[in-house]
Amino acid sequence: MKVASQDFLQQAHEALRAKDKVERRDLLGQFMPAARDAAANAYGDFDGLRAHMKRVRGHTTEHLAHYLQQFEEAAVAHGNQVHFAATAEQLNSTVLSICQTHNARRVAKGKSMVTEETGLNELLLKAGLEVLETDLGEYIIQQAGEAPSHIVGPAFHKSLAEVRELFLAKHKLGERALESVSDIVEEARGVLRERFLAADVGIIGANALIAEHGTTMLVTNEGNGDLCANLPPVLIICTTFERLLPRAEDAMALQRLLVRSATGQSHTCYTSFYSGPRREDDVDGPLETHIILLDNKRSDILASDYHEILDCIRCGACLNHCPIYIGVGGHAYGWVYPGPMGSVLTPLLTSLEQSHDLPNACTSCGRCAEVCPANIPLPDLLRDLRQEESAQQLKPARWRRGLRLHAWLLRQPVLYQRLTGWSMSALGLLGKRRGAFRRMPFASGWTSQRDFPAPEAGGTFMRQYAARKRRGGRRG
Amino acid sequence: MAESVRAALFARLRERSPAPAEPAEIARALATIGYATAARMPHADLHTAFIANVLANKGTLELALDRGAAVRAIGRYLYKRFRTHKLVAGNDPRLAAMPWRDGGVLPRFGAAEPGDAAALSYARLGVAETGAIVTFTGRANPGRNNLLPEDHLVLVNREDVVATLEDAWAKIRIETGAGAWPRGIQFIAGPSSTADVEAQLVLGAHGPCRWHVILVGDTPAQALEQARGELPEA
Ligand code: SF4
């Protein structure tokens, strides 16, 4: 997918102007965290589960070559063809050549962030193939010609009325009401069912690769991924090596974390482990299966200080809890992965130069790290990226001069305290009557949306602290 | 090209652990990590917990004392839903041996076709922790039987219900021990669903719209009432 993260600020501004979408996201930002919390509390020791997973992941990463080899050997023994792709282009061309070998015309896809990342659909369409996204959210945005706005619910930004319009325009099914969400789902089910049955190739992702058995785990609610994995004669699984886990039990621990963090469910409808092509005992299933392992800079990330981001299980909880994501929505981020995880991943998978605004789209509130089931220190990683941004001088010169001045001032405590003391008194006096300012020099970005509160009497923190100390009251 | 990509990746990964450990050593390190603790159960009794979670998963559940009762329950279900007694079922010897005539049910044994409204599976396991049932793909239960029909009916023996997902894998390991690894192992917990439009849950996305579990064996009726919250736990 083309990167548009360099225009983050512009895109964010535009997103904030669409009031109805802002309201939708506000609801999402209330509803999803509440669902996640309820599920985590009902679990019992959810934090213990997170800590357990962190240990398993740490161990796996330490012995990644061992586990990758174990997985590859077992998967090949099951009859899979295992491919390695260093770049997005290599993955795409591998998929295309498999399709061409089979003279395939129709491809049915389950939800796969990896193929969003590589822009696979575009290439397949250009080569004349029919590519159908079958996850309902993905199908909707594919029909609308849009990118996903959320990694779990790609079409969360669309209202029922918008989906209705879209279906009426795209499905030539004559007059019909199509009024409720159930009507929409039923229509999609009918339209897609035939195309599942006619597909020549199925493409899915994987939530985990189980080293000991050479199987891949697929977690879905709709059952679309499983139809892709069971009906077409050829199955291609597009995935990445950091999905590796040693044992099936580890994949189950991951599933427990994933479902609760993603949707607040305590289970998903389908958790499937696929091992390869049709067996002697099988009467259905693909005749040929391929597993493509994409690197796309992940081995660089693994060797860097940002390696913990590879533990991300794509649950979307950090998006739902992020005030910036809820504020501006997924499309503003300009690439496949939005929110806190995207603000870390996008600079690493594309370039910091193109996306250096993203690590700045952070209030350092820490909610993402609080809920991340993989215990990834997202705010720290974002801070480190900002530091790199600064070291690479990617910010405008004026901004950098301002920051340097600020840093210098912070190192002069006496001067700093005097200056802040004076300005506080001055602002306090000026704003005494209204208690707030409508406009402020150098702060129009703030005051364009809200008032700036005038400081209350009593002086700066340091002044109050010193006064209290003088009074000697420990009671404060 | 492909081989060099593979070799380069392995070389990079090996860089990270300069002194590659022996497989036995790695296995020991992994064993000390152990397994996770499972989710809290809704009921102390294993079967009541399983039933409660099946219902929480928007499934429906019936108790059947034996296979005869199960056949009759299937007959009633099909007649109520479809006014027919047609059903597709995998070539599971356990299913073949059922007294079908008792319930007036006419199963067709094989893989589900697009027109089939209802399919029946005999589960290998039930998992109380998630209210899931486990099937293996193969002649006994073709993968599409779980996915294509409107209604998916599942029989599960009382003694095949285990507590946690780890317990389920312990059993799966034994069953697949002989080297016959199935093409697919599916944990199914509910009818297919989606919340992709307006974050509103709708049952019957791409897979079955209804999921009906019949627990076969001597389960006291009050387990079902307790699971439904109609009776306080003993
Ligand atoms: S970073 Fe954590 S919270 Fe965010 S999607 Fe990944 S696993 Fe979920």
Side-chain angles (χ1 to χ4, degrees), chain A residues 43 72 134 137 160 189 193 221-222 230 249 256 269 271 273 275 279 281 284 300, chain B residues 6 12 37 129 139 144 148 166 173 181-183 185 187 189 193-194 196 198 206-207:
Chain A
Y43 184 82
E72 187 192 8
T134 62
L160 172 59
R189 177 189 170 91
R193 180 55 72 92
N221 278 318
E222 294 186 6
N230 282 281
E249 288 82 354
R256 288 179 178 126
C269 302
T271 306
F273 295 81
S275 65
R279 301 289 136 96
D281 181 50
D284 67 354
D300 295 337
Chain B
R6 180 186 176 280
R12 295 218 61 186
T37 14
E129 181 189 351
R139 217 172 289 281
R144 57 202 293 167
L148 281 183
E166 282 76 12
R173 276 172 211 281
W181 196 273
R183 177 178 69 79
I185 298 175
F187 287 66
S193 71
T194 180
D196 273 353
E198 297 284 0
H206 293 297

mmCIF file of all heavy atoms in Angstrom, chain A residues 43 72 134 137 160 189 193 221-222 230 249 256 269 271 273 275 279 281 284 300, chain B residues 6 12 37 129 139 144 148 166 173 181-183 185 187 189 193-194 196 198 206-207:
data_model
loop_
_atom_site.group_PDB
_atom_site.id
_atom_site.type_symbol
_atom_site.label_atom_id
_atom_site.label_comp_id
_atom_site.label_asym_id
_atom_site.label_seq_id
_atom_site.Cartn_x
_atom_site.Cartn_y
_atom_site.Cartn_z
ATOM 1 N N TYR A 43 -11.681 -12.829 33.269
ATOM 2 C CA TYR A 43 -10.725 -13.907 33.026
ATOM 3 C C TYR A 43 -10.145 -14.468 34.320
ATOM 4 O O TYR A 43 -9.913 -15.662 34.450
ATOM 5 C CB TYR A 43 -9.568 -13.405 32.146
ATOM 6 C CG TYR A 43 -8.618 -14.505 31.798
ATOM 7 C CD1 TYR A 43 -8.898 -15.360 30.750
ATOM 8 C CD2 TYR A 43 -7.471 -14.745 32.545
ATOM 9 C CE1 TYR A 43 -8.073 -16.413 30.447
ATOM 10 C CE2 TYR A 43 -6.630 -15.798 32.261
ATOM 11 C CZ TYR A 43 -6.933 -16.628 31.204
ATOM 12 O OH TYR A 43 -6.129 -17.680 30.917
ATOM 13 N N GLU A 72 9.604 -25.097 9.763
ATOM 14 C CA GLU A 72 9.760 -25.357 8.331
ATOM 15 C C GLU A 72 9.811 -26.856 8.050
ATOM 16 O O GLU A 72 9.124 -27.358 7.151
ATOM 17 C CB GLU A 72 11.043 -24.672 7.828
ATOM 18 C CG GLU A 72 11.200 -24.734 6.318
ATOM 19 C CD GLU A 72 12.600 -24.330 5.851
ATOM 20 O OE1 GLU A 72 13.496 -24.149 6.704
ATOM 21 O OE2 GLU A 72 12.787 -24.211 4.637
ATOM 22 N N THR A 134 -13.138 -11.425 1.684
ATOM 23 C CA THR A 134 -14.334 -12.102 2.174
ATOM 24 C C THR A 134 -14.692 -11.759 3.618
ATOM 25 O O THR A 134 -15.803 -12.031 4.047
ATOM 26 C CB THR A 134 -14.181 -13.629 2.059
ATOM 27 O OG1 THR A 134 -13.083 -14.028 2.874
ATOM 28 C CG2 THR A 134 -13.939 -14.046 0.626
ATOM 29 N N GLY A 137 -15.900 -6.738 6.866
ATOM 30 C CA GLY A 137 -15.326 -5.392 6.932
ATOM 31 C C GLY A 137 -14.413 -5.113 5.749
ATOM 32 O O GLY A 137 -14.477 -4.061 5.111
ATOM 33 N N LEU A 160 -24.162 2.374 8.949
ATOM 34 C CA LEU A 160 -25.102 1.461 8.304
ATOM 35 C C LEU A 160 -25.647 2.082 7.013
ATOM 36 O O LEU A 160 -25.733 1.413 5.977
ATOM 37 C CB LEU A 160 -26.246 1.145 9.283
ATOM 38 C CG LEU A 160 -27.431 0.362 8.735
ATOM 39 C CD1 LEU A 160 -26.995 -0.978 8.183
ATOM 40 C CD2 LEU A 160 -28.486 0.162 9.824
ATOM 41 N N ARG A 189 -23.585 -12.431 2.841
ATOM 42 C CA ARG A 189 -23.442 -13.884 2.927
ATOM 43 C C ARG A 189 -23.855 -14.546 1.616
ATOM 44 O O ARG A 189 -23.154 -15.392 1.076
ATOM 45 C CB ARG A 189 -24.315 -14.383 4.082
ATOM 46 C CG ARG A 189 -24.341 -15.877 4.283
ATOM 47 C CD ARG A 189 -25.424 -16.230 5.316
ATOM 48 N NE ARG A 189 -25.651 -17.662 5.371
ATOM 49 C CZ ARG A 189 -25.008 -18.490 6.182
ATOM 50 N NH1 ARG A 189 -24.125 -18.018 7.032
ATOM 51 N NH2 ARG A 189 -25.243 -19.782 6.155
ATOM 52 N N ARG A 193 -21.113 -16.246 -0.866
ATOM 53 C CA ARG A 193 -21.124 -17.706 -0.818
ATOM 54 C C ARG A 193 -20.796 -18.313 -2.183
ATOM 55 O O ARG A 193 -19.937 -19.193 -2.317
ATOM 56 C CB ARG A 193 -22.490 -18.188 -0.291
ATOM 57 C CG ARG A 193 -22.649 -19.681 -0.173
ATOM 58 C CD ARG A 193 -21.564 -20.332 0.661
ATOM 59 N NE ARG A 193 -21.656 -20.075 2.082
ATOM 60 C CZ ARG A 193 -22.300 -20.836 2.958
ATOM 61 N NH1 ARG A 193 -22.946 -21.899 2.540
ATOM 62 N NH2 ARG A 193 -22.292 -20.545 4.240
ATOM 63 N N ASN A 221 -14.210 -15.042 13.567
ATOM 64 C CA ASN A 221 -15.595 -15.183 14.012
ATOM 65 C C ASN A 221 -16.533 -15.489 12.864
ATOM 66 O O ASN A 221 -17.539 -16.149 13.035
ATOM 67 C CB ASN A 221 -16.072 -13.881 14.665
ATOM 68 C CG ASN A 221 -15.620 -13.793 16.102
ATOM 69 O OD1 ASN A 221 -15.669 -14.777 16.839
ATOM 70 N ND2 ASN A 221 -15.169 -12.624 16.501
ATOM 71 N N GLU A 222 -16.193 -14.960 11.680
ATOM 72 C CA GLU A 222 -17.134 -15.057 10.561
ATOM 73 C C GLU A 222 -17.101 -16.422 9.898
ATOM 74 O O GLU A 222 -18.063 -16.834 9.264
ATOM 75 C CB GLU A 222 -16.820 -13.969 9.528
ATOM 76 C CG GLU A 222 -17.072 -12.577 10.061
ATOM 77 C CD GLU A 222 -16.904 -11.491 9.021
ATOM 78 O OE1 GLU A 222 -16.692 -11.824 7.841
ATOM 79 O OE2 GLU A 222 -16.979 -10.316 9.398
ATOM 80 N N ASN A 230 -10.664 -24.131 3.187
ATOM 81 C CA ASN A 230 -11.219 -25.472 2.964
ATOM 82 C C ASN A 230 -11.805 -25.706 1.588
ATOM 83 O O ASN A 230 -11.883 -26.839 1.142
ATOM 84 C CB ASN A 230 -12.300 -25.772 4.013
ATOM 85 C CG ASN A 230 -11.701 -26.157 5.354
ATOM 86 O OD1 ASN A 230 -11.276 -27.287 5.541
ATOM 87 N ND2 ASN A 230 -11.619 -25.205 6.263
ATOM 88 N N GLU A 249 -0.076 -25.078 22.914
ATOM 89 C CA GLU A 249 -0.583 -24.445 24.141
ATOM 90 C C GLU A 249 -0.236 -22.952 24.173
ATOM 91 O O GLU A 249 -0.981 -22.152 24.739
ATOM 92 C CB GLU A 249 0.009 -25.126 25.378
ATOM 93 C CG GLU A 249 -0.547 -26.519 25.662
ATOM 94 C CD GLU A 249 0.120 -27.606 24.841
ATOM 95 O OE1 GLU A 249 0.950 -27.284 23.949
ATOM 96 O OE2 GLU A 249 -0.183 -28.788 25.081
ATOM 97 N N ARG A 256 -6.278 -16.577 23.934
ATOM 98 C CA ARG A 256 -6.986 -16.035 25.108
ATOM 99 C C ARG A 256 -6.771 -14.531 25.226
ATOM 100 O O ARG A 256 -7.695 -13.778 25.528
ATOM 101 C CB ARG A 256 -6.471 -16.693 26.382
ATOM 102 C CG ARG A 256 -6.886 -18.126 26.569
ATOM 103 C CD ARG A 256 -6.276 -18.637 27.879
ATOM 104 N NE ARG A 256 -6.665 -20.004 28.159
ATOM 105 C CZ ARG A 256 -5.788 -20.985 28.406
ATOM 106 N NH1 ARG A 256 -4.482 -20.746 28.376
ATOM 107 N NH2 ARG A 256 -6.220 -22.192 28.683
ATOM 108 N N CYS A 269 -15.406 -17.760 17.420
ATOM 109 C CA CYS A 269 -16.180 -18.886 16.923
ATOM 110 C C CYS A 269 -15.278 -19.969 16.343
ATOM 111 O O CYS A 269 -15.492 -21.138 16.557
ATOM 112 C CB CYS A 269 -17.163 -18.409 15.869
ATOM 113 S SG CYS A 269 -18.261 -17.161 16.528
ATOM 114 N N THR A 271 -11.351 -21.347 15.843
ATOM 115 C CA THR A 271 -9.912 -21.346 16.059
ATOM 116 C C THR A 271 -9.411 -22.621 15.403
ATOM 117 O O THR A 271 -9.685 -23.719 15.897
ATOM 118 C CB THR A 271 -9.578 -21.348 17.561
ATOM 119 O OG1 THR A 271 -10.252 -20.249 18.175
ATOM 120 C CG2 THR A 271 -8.082 -21.217 17.784
ATOM 121 N N PHE A 273 -6.472 -25.038 13.244
ATOM 122 C CA PHE A 273 -5.061 -25.346 13.044
ATOM 123 C C PHE A 273 -4.943 -26.132 11.745
ATOM 124 O O PHE A 273 -5.453 -27.255 11.657
ATOM 125 C CB PHE A 273 -4.537 -26.174 14.222
ATOM 126 C CG PHE A 273 -4.561 -25.408 15.517
ATOM 127 C CD1 PHE A 273 -5.734 -25.291 16.247
ATOM 128 C CD2 PHE A 273 -3.423 -24.774 15.987
ATOM 129 C CE1 PHE A 273 -5.776 -24.561 17.429
ATOM 130 C CE2 PHE A 273 -3.455 -24.046 17.161
ATOM 131 C CZ PHE A 273 -4.630 -23.934 17.886
ATOM 132 N N SER A 275 -2.688 -27.934 8.759
ATOM 133 C CA SER A 275 -1.359 -28.536 8.659
ATOM 134 C C SER A 275 -0.874 -28.669 7.219
ATOM 135 O O SER A 275 0.340 -28.775 7.013
ATOM 136 C CB SER A 275 -1.353 -29.913 9.331
ATOM 137 O OG SER A 275 -2.199 -30.796 8.635
ATOM 138 N N ARG A 279 -5.278 -34.978 2.901
ATOM 139 C CA ARG A 279 -4.692 -36.277 3.255
ATOM 140 C C ARG A 279 -5.451 -37.407 2.567
ATOM 141 O O ARG A 279 -6.530 -37.177 2.033
ATOM 142 C CB ARG A 279 -4.797 -36.511 4.771
ATOM 143 C CG ARG A 279 -4.142 -35.497 5.629
ATOM 144 C CD ARG A 279 -2.664 -35.659 5.475
ATOM 145 N NE ARG A 279 -2.077 -34.327 5.338
ATOM 146 C CZ ARG A 279 -1.575 -33.659 6.338
ATOM 147 N NH1 ARG A 279 -1.587 -34.165 7.528
ATOM 148 N NH2 ARG A 279 -1.031 -32.484 6.146
ATOM 149 N N ASP A 281 -7.150 -39.523 3.957
ATOM 150 C CA ASP A 281 -8.449 -39.676 4.625
ATOM 151 C C ASP A 281 -9.411 -38.517 4.322
ATOM 152 O O ASP A 281 -10.562 -38.535 4.731
ATOM 153 C CB ASP A 281 -8.199 -39.772 6.133
ATOM 154 C CG ASP A 281 -9.494 -39.956 6.912
ATOM 155 O OD1 ASP A 281 -10.266 -40.863 6.531
ATOM 156 O OD2 ASP A 281 -9.755 -39.183 7.853
ATOM 157 N N ASP A 284 -12.282 -33.445 1.364
ATOM 158 C CA ASP A 284 -12.278 -32.054 0.906
ATOM 159 C C ASP A 284 -10.977 -31.382 1.368
ATOM 160 O O ASP A 284 -10.121 -32.027 1.960
ATOM 161 C CB ASP A 284 -13.516 -31.291 1.385
ATOM 162 C CG ASP A 284 -13.538 -31.090 2.893
ATOM 163 O OD1 ASP A 284 -12.658 -31.644 3.596
ATOM 164 O OD2 ASP A 284 -14.439 -30.377 3.372
ATOM 165 N N ASP A 300 15.562 -6.715 10.531
ATOM 166 C CA ASP A 300 16.240 -5.496 10.989
ATOM 167 C C ASP A 300 15.665 -5.051 12.331
ATOM 168 O O ASP A 300 16.404 -4.679 13.242
ATOM 169 C CB ASP A 300 16.042 -4.329 9.999
ATOM 170 C CG ASP A 300 16.692 -4.604 8.661
ATOM 171 O OD1 ASP A 300 17.623 -5.444 8.630
ATOM 172 O OD2 ASP A 300 16.270 -4.000 7.663
ATOM 173 N N ARG B 6 16.193 -17.376 1.969
ATOM 174 C CA ARG B 6 16.057 -18.234 3.143
ATOM 175 C C ARG B 6 17.352 -18.260 3.942
ATOM 176 O O ARG B 6 17.352 -18.055 5.160
ATOM 177 C CB ARG B 6 15.695 -19.656 2.682
ATOM 178 C CG ARG B 6 15.521 -20.636 3.800
ATOM 179 C CD ARG B 6 15.319 -22.056 3.273
ATOM 180 N NE ARG B 6 15.251 -22.989 4.379
ATOM 181 C CZ ARG B 6 16.311 -23.447 5.015
ATOM 182 N NH1 ARG B 6 17.533 -23.080 4.666
ATOM 183 N NH2 ARG B 6 16.165 -24.292 6.040
ATOM 184 N N ARG B 12 20.724 -14.152 9.644
ATOM 185 C CA ARG B 12 20.410 -12.983 10.479
ATOM 186 C C ARG B 12 19.844 -13.407 11.830
ATOM 187 O O ARG B 12 20.164 -12.845 12.864
ATOM 188 C CB ARG B 12 19.405 -12.079 9.775
ATOM 189 C CG ARG B 12 19.947 -11.470 8.525
ATOM 190 C CD ARG B 12 19.484 -10.065 8.370
ATOM 191 N NE ARG B 12 19.933 -9.204 9.468
ATOM 192 C CZ ARG B 12 19.557 -7.955 9.616
ATOM 193 N NH1 ARG B 12 18.721 -7.432 8.778
ATOM 194 N NH2 ARG B 12 19.996 -7.229 10.606
ATOM 195 N N THR B 37 -2.273 -20.099 32.971
ATOM 196 C CA THR B 37 -3.458 -20.510 33.739
ATOM 197 C C THR B 37 -4.692 -20.192 32.908
ATOM 198 O O THR B 37 -4.770 -19.153 32.269
ATOM 199 C CB THR B 37 -3.600 -19.733 35.064
ATOM 200 O OG1 THR B 37 -2.735 -18.620 35.029
ATOM 201 C CG2 THR B 37 -3.360 -20.599 36.261
ATOM 202 N N GLU B 129 -13.725 -24.554 29.282
ATOM 203 C CA GLU B 129 -13.213 -23.189 29.431
ATOM 204 C C GLU B 129 -13.799 -22.211 28.411
ATOM 205 O O GLU B 129 -14.086 -21.067 28.742
ATOM 206 C CB GLU B 129 -11.686 -23.203 29.296
ATOM 207 C CG GLU B 129 -11.063 -21.820 29.463
ATOM 208 C CD GLU B 129 -9.580 -21.770 29.111
ATOM 209 O OE1 GLU B 129 -8.960 -22.834 28.891
ATOM 210 O OE2 GLU B 129 -9.045 -20.656 29.065
ATOM 211 N N ARG B 139 -12.559 -38.047 6.587
ATOM 212 C CA ARG B 139 -13.779 -38.716 6.154
ATOM 213 C C ARG B 139 -14.878 -38.631 7.233
ATOM 214 O O ARG B 139 -16.044 -38.455 6.935
ATOM 215 C CB ARG B 139 -13.454 -40.193 5.890
ATOM 216 C CG ARG B 139 -14.169 -40.800 4.727
ATOM 217 C CD ARG B 139 -13.618 -42.191 4.435
ATOM 218 N NE ARG B 139 -12.270 -42.139 3.868
ATOM 219 C CZ ARG B 139 -12.008 -41.863 2.592
ATOM 220 N NH1 ARG B 139 -12.998 -41.627 1.763
ATOM 221 N NH2 ARG B 139 -10.771 -41.834 2.145
ATOM 222 N N ARG B 144 -15.831 -28.928 5.370
ATOM 223 C CA ARG B 144 -16.932 -28.059 4.930
ATOM 224 C C ARG B 144 -18.235 -28.336 5.668
ATOM 225 O O ARG B 144 -19.120 -27.505 5.663
ATOM 226 C CB ARG B 144 -17.115 -28.186 3.422
ATOM 227 C CG ARG B 144 -17.361 -29.609 2.959
ATOM 228 C CD ARG B 144 -17.009 -29.779 1.509
ATOM 229 N NE ARG B 144 -17.925 -29.022 0.673
ATOM 230 C CZ ARG B 144 -17.719 -28.769 -0.619
ATOM 231 N NH1 ARG B 144 -16.626 -29.210 -1.199
ATOM 232 N NH2 ARG B 144 -18.578 -28.096 -1.318
ATOM 233 N N LEU B 148 -20.481 -24.984 5.752
ATOM 234 C CA LEU B 148 -21.440 -24.628 4.695
ATOM 235 C C LEU B 148 -22.907 -24.556 5.128
ATOM 236 O O LEU B 148 -23.629 -23.665 4.694
ATOM 237 C CB LEU B 148 -21.306 -25.596 3.507
ATOM 238 C CG LEU B 148 -20.136 -25.342 2.557
ATOM 239 C CD1 LEU B 148 -20.197 -26.343 1.400
ATOM 240 C CD2 LEU B 148 -20.136 -23.923 1.999
ATOM 241 N N GLU B 166 -5.552 -26.431 27.459
ATOM 242 C CA GLU B 166 -4.351 -27.263 27.612
ATOM 243 C C GLU B 166 -4.735 -28.737 27.723
ATOM 244 O O GLU B 166 -4.085 -29.606 27.148
ATOM 245 C CB GLU B 166 -3.545 -26.847 28.853
ATOM 246 C CG GLU B 166 -2.708 -25.586 28.679
ATOM 247 C CD GLU B 166 -3.545 -24.316 28.731
ATOM 248 O OE1 GLU B 166 -4.727 -24.393 29.126
ATOM 249 O OE2 GLU B 166 -3.018 -23.241 28.364
ATOM 250 N N ARG B 173 -2.865 -34.543 21.430
ATOM 251 C CA ARG B 173 -1.537 -35.141 21.275
ATOM 252 C C ARG B 173 -1.608 -36.663 21.299
ATOM 253 O O ARG B 173 -0.910 -37.335 20.542
ATOM 254 C CB ARG B 173 -0.619 -34.683 22.405
ATOM 255 C CG ARG B 173 0.028 -33.366 22.174
ATOM 256 C CD ARG B 173 0.759 -32.932 23.438
ATOM 257 N NE ARG B 173 0.760 -31.497 23.534
ATOM 258 C CZ ARG B 173 1.576 -30.722 22.847
ATOM 259 N NH1 ARG B 173 2.477 -31.269 22.053
ATOM 260 N NH2 ARG B 173 1.509 -29.420 22.954
ATOM 261 N N TRP B 181 -1.460 -36.984 11.465
ATOM 262 C CA TRP B 181 -1.890 -35.634 11.793
ATOM 263 C C TRP B 181 -2.987 -35.205 10.819
ATOM 264 O O TRP B 181 -2.800 -35.294 9.615
ATOM 265 C CB TRP B 181 -0.690 -34.678 11.706
ATOM 266 C CG TRP B 181 -1.007 -33.408 12.406
ATOM 267 C CD1 TRP B 181 -1.623 -32.329 11.870
ATOM 268 C CD2 TRP B 181 -0.785 -33.113 13.771
ATOM 269 N NE1 TRP B 181 -1.801 -31.375 12.836
ATOM 270 C CE2 TRP B 181 -1.294 -31.820 14.009
ATOM 271 C CE3 TRP B 181 -0.206 -33.818 14.838
ATOM 272 C CZ2 TRP B 181 -1.239 -31.206 15.259
ATOM 273 C CZ3 TRP B 181 -0.143 -33.204 16.074
ATOM 274 C CH2 TRP B 181 -0.654 -31.914 16.273
ATOM 275 N N PRO B 182 -4.132 -34.770 11.344
ATOM 276 C CA PRO B 182 -5.202 -34.386 10.410
ATOM 277 C C PRO B 182 -4.856 -33.096 9.672
ATOM 278 O O PRO B 182 -4.043 -32.306 10.145
ATOM 279 C CB PRO B 182 -6.405 -34.191 11.318
ATOM 280 C CG PRO B 182 -5.839 -33.901 12.661
ATOM 281 C CD PRO B 182 -4.501 -34.574 12.740
ATOM 282 N N ARG B 183 -5.509 -32.897 8.539
ATOM 283 C CA ARG B 183 -5.284 -31.662 7.768
ATOM 284 C C ARG B 183 -5.707 -30.444 8.568
ATOM 285 O O ARG B 183 -5.030 -29.424 8.560
ATOM 286 C CB ARG B 183 -6.094 -31.723 6.471
ATOM 287 C CG ARG B 183 -6.005 -30.469 5.627
ATOM 288 C CD ARG B 183 -6.787 -30.625 4.347
ATOM 289 N NE ARG B 183 -8.225 -30.676 4.552
ATOM 290 C CZ ARG B 183 -9.005 -29.604 4.773
ATOM 291 N NH1 ARG B 183 -8.471 -28.402 4.823
ATOM 292 N NH2 ARG B 183 -10.304 -29.750 4.949
ATOM 293 N N ILE B 185 -7.538 -29.077 12.413
ATOM 294 C CA ILE B 185 -8.137 -29.299 13.726
ATOM 295 C C ILE B 185 -8.921 -28.033 14.027
ATOM 296 O O ILE B 185 -8.356 -26.934 14.013
ATOM 297 C CB ILE B 185 -7.055 -29.530 14.803
ATOM 298 C CG1 ILE B 185 -6.254 -30.788 14.475
ATOM 299 C CG2 ILE B 185 -7.685 -29.615 16.201
ATOM 300 C CD1 ILE B 185 -5.081 -31.043 15.406
ATOM 301 N N PHE B 187 -11.485 -25.837 16.446
ATOM 302 C CA PHE B 187 -12.203 -25.548 17.694
ATOM 303 C C PHE B 187 -13.353 -24.632 17.301
ATOM 304 O O PHE B 187 -13.121 -23.543 16.774
ATOM 305 C CB PHE B 187 -11.302 -24.795 18.682
ATOM 306 C CG PHE B 187 -10.219 -25.625 19.315
ATOM 307 C CD1 PHE B 187 -9.187 -26.151 18.563
ATOM 308 C CD2 PHE B 187 -10.223 -25.854 20.686
ATOM 309 C CE1 PHE B 187 -8.180 -26.908 19.151
ATOM 310 C CE2 PHE B 187 -9.216 -26.607 21.287
ATOM 311 C CZ PHE B 187 -8.198 -27.137 20.527
ATOM 312 N N ALA B 189 -16.788 -22.614 18.544
ATOM 313 C CA ALA B 189 -17.471 -22.126 19.744
ATOM 314 C C ALA B 189 -18.567 -21.151 19.344
ATOM 315 O O ALA B 189 -18.434 -19.950 19.492
ATOM 316 C CB ALA B 189 -16.470 -21.467 20.687
ATOM 317 N N SER B 193 -20.276 -15.425 13.373
ATOM 318 C CA SER B 193 -20.829 -14.112 13.715
ATOM 319 C C SER B 193 -19.929 -13.010 13.186
ATOM 320 O O SER B 193 -18.775 -13.241 12.824
ATOM 321 C CB SER B 193 -20.966 -13.984 15.228
ATOM 322 O OG SER B 193 -19.687 -13.877 15.817
ATOM 323 N N THR B 194 -20.485 -11.808 13.124
ATOM 324 C CA THR B 194 -19.693 -10.653 12.725
ATOM 325 C C THR B 194 -20.178 -9.429 13.485
ATOM 326 O O THR B 194 -21.353 -9.337 13.828
ATOM 327 C CB THR B 194 -19.775 -10.392 11.209
ATOM 328 O OG1 THR B 194 -18.982 -9.244 10.900
ATOM 329 C CG2 THR B 194 -21.201 -10.130 10.740
ATOM 330 N N ASP B 196 -18.826 -6.406 12.210
ATOM 331 C CA ASP B 196 -18.097 -5.470 11.352
ATOM 332 C C ASP B 196 -18.918 -4.251 10.943
ATOM 333 O O ASP B 196 -18.365 -3.256 10.504
ATOM 334 C CB ASP B 196 -17.580 -6.186 10.099
ATOM 335 C CG ASP B 196 -16.216 -6.811 10.354
ATOM 336 O OD1 ASP B 196 -15.653 -6.567 11.431
ATOM 337 O OD2 ASP B 196 -15.723 -7.534 9.471
ATOM 338 N N GLU B 198 -21.344 -1.358 12.272
ATOM 339 C CA GLU B 198 -21.853 -0.656 13.456
ATOM 340 C C GLU B 198 -21.515 -1.389 14.754
ATOM 341 O O GLU B 198 -22.205 -1.241 15.757
ATOM 342 C CB GLU B 198 -23.379 -0.463 13.361
ATOM 343 C CG GLU B 198 -23.834 0.403 12.187
ATOM 344 C CD GLU B 198 -23.588 1.890 12.408
ATOM 345 O OE1 GLU B 198 -23.071 2.265 13.476
ATOM 346 O OE2 GLU B 198 -23.907 2.673 11.485
ATOM 347 N N HIS B 206 -20.513 -16.004 7.617
ATOM 348 C CA HIS B 206 -20.289 -16.857 6.445
ATOM 349 C C HIS B 206 -20.514 -18.331 6.751
ATOM 350 O O HIS B 206 -20.784 -19.120 5.873
ATOM 351 C CB HIS B 206 -18.876 -16.651 5.906
ATOM 352 C CG HIS B 206 -18.681 -15.297 5.333
ATOM 353 N ND1 HIS B 206 -19.389 -14.864 4.243
ATOM 354 C CD2 HIS B 206 -17.898 -14.264 5.712
ATOM 355 C CE1 HIS B 206 -19.040 -13.624 3.962
ATOM 356 N NE2 HIS B 206 -18.142 -13.236 4.842
ATOM 357 N N GLY B 207 -20.375 -18.677 8.008
ATOM 358 C CA GLY B 207 -20.605 -20.065 8.414
ATOM 359 C C GLY B 207 -22.040 -20.228 8.898
ATOM 360 O O GLY B 207 -22.904 -19.408 8.590
#
